[in-house]
Amino acid sequence: HVALIINASIFAYAVVVHNDSGIFDPVWQPEGFCVANRETPFWNSHDLCLYFDTVFALVHGLLYLALRNYPGMNPANELVKFNILGVVGHGFGHGAIAKAMREGVEASGLDQTGLDTVSSKSPIEIVMKMIPFLIFWIFLLKATMPRAKMNVILPMTAASMAGNVLVPQQFGFTYVQTVLLLAFSVNQLLRPSNEKEFAYALFPMIAGFPVSVIAWIESTMCSKGVLDIGGHLIYDAYIPLASMAFYMIYWAVSGTAKQKSL
């Protein structure tokens, strides 16, 4: 968890302070995403993320239903149950970005903030634009802090959305990643020591820290191979796949598979 906080913080600092220094790939740098198939409607990286997240949220849900009642699975269930909703919310967010790209909104100025892009909209248009991001933030914050009640999640959602619309669009991905990874790690670190067991250690090793490394790979190697395998899709795809891998490893290593077969 500490390594995750450090890596995510260094990434955020590098993106915001040294964005033009040559560290980042010139294809990724202007908007903070590696977008493949940009000119193909319904098939660019954001569309692909929506499709992948939707399908694998369903697959992950079926896996959860199959394994959740095995003895000893409660610690893993807690981390996985809301993470499935987080994958759905993540897909909604990318779907909204893809829609904005098809409408030409994304091209209006990546140095603008979200507030700039909605300032000329009617109240109804603003509400319709915000609904996917409301779902996105509620689902993902609940996924990162599964024990938090809605009286905590909702104020954090409001604060996170406010920050989201105030940062330039090219820093949007970095902002979201930083908020979610830090929220997850700090929340886990604050758990009572008697609850810091196998699932607590395994989840960040499989599903947490590696995704912060993938952010570096996408941002520095976008035009050097990442575009050819879906662009930002590699980041999104890793999240449900890693969560499922964590769940199956926990099921196997914790001995519940053996207990069930006896």
Side-chain angles (χ1 to χ4, degrees):
H1 290 292
V2 173
L4 178 54
I5 291 172
I6 292 171
N7 192 38
S9 299
I10 292 173
F11 182 81
Y13 172 79
V15 170
V16 174
V17 179
H18 299 289
N19 198 40
D20 298 317
S21 66
I23 296 174
F24 300 103
D25 189 283
V27 176
W28 182 92
Q29 182 266 337
E31 57 188 294
F33 281 111
C34 185
V35 183
N37 311 316
R38 176 180 297 279
E39 305 303 324
T40 308
F42 300 100
W43 204 245
N44 66 53
S45 293
H46 295 295
D47 290 306
L48 295 176
C49 288
L50 169 61
Y51 307 149
F52 192 97
D53 287 346
T54 301
V55 171
F56 277 86
L58 176 60
V59 174
H60 200 350
L62 294 174
L63 178 66
Y64 170 76
L65 291 175
L67 301 183
R68 63 176 179 166
N69 291 325
Y70 278 72
M73 287 298 287
N74 285 340
N77 290 342
E78 180 181 280
L79 290 169
V80 161
K81 177 171 59 175
F82 292 109
N83 199 40
I84 296 168
L85 292 178
V87 172
V88 174
H90 201 160
F92 265 81
H94 281 291
I97 296 173
K99 181 176 182 293
M101 289 180 66
R102 290 193 296 273
E103 295 173 349
V105 175
E106 180 263 355
S108 64
L110 290 164
D111 58 339
Q112 293 183 330
T113 66
L115 191 61
D116 294 328
T117 64
V118 300
S119 58
S120 61
K121 304 291 184 181
S122 70
I124 295 297
E125 289 175 318
I126 293 173
V127 169
M128 294 304 296
K129 182 179 178 63
M130 289 296 108
I131 286 175
F133 289 101
L134 178 65
I135 296 171
F136 172 90
W137 277 110
I138 290 176
F139 281 16
L140 268 83
L141 284 170
K142 184 61 178 175
T144 59
M145 300 181 296
R147 290 190 179 182
K149 305 297 184 185
M150 292 307 291
N151 62 351
V152 173
I153 296 296
L154 291 178
M156 288 193 65
T157 296
S160 298
M161 289 182 68
N164 208 164
V165 300
L166 292 175
V167 300
Q169 294 180 75
Q170 68 180 128
F171 299 145
F173 162 72
T174 301
Y175 171 82
V176 170
Q177 175 182 259
T178 305
V179 170
L180 294 176
L181 293 183
L182 266 60
F184 168 70
S185 291
V186 171
N187 182 260
Q188 290 293 298
L189 287 169
L190 292 176
R191 295 179 70 156
S193 58
N194 64 321
E195 295 181 1
K196 295 179 179 179
E197 35 64 78
F198 183 48
Y200 167 86
L202 184 64
F203 193 85
M205 287 193 293
I206 294 179
F209 184 77
V211 80
S212 70
V213 174
I214 293 174
W216 282 105
I217 295 171
E218 177 190 347
S219 62
T220 59
M221 302 182 67
C222 178
S223 61
K224 302 178 182 67
V226 174
L227 276 175
D228 298 328
I229 53 175
H232 185 71
L233 178 64
I234 68 167
Y235 185 96
D236 261 49
Y238 184 82
I239 295 171
L241 293 177
S243 184
M244 287 189 289
F246 155 78
Y247 202 51
M248 289 186 288
I249 291 171
Y250 186 91
W251 172 73
V253 176
S254 66
T256 55
K258 181 177 180 181
Q259 291 172 25
K260 188 71 174 182
S261 66
L262 293 177

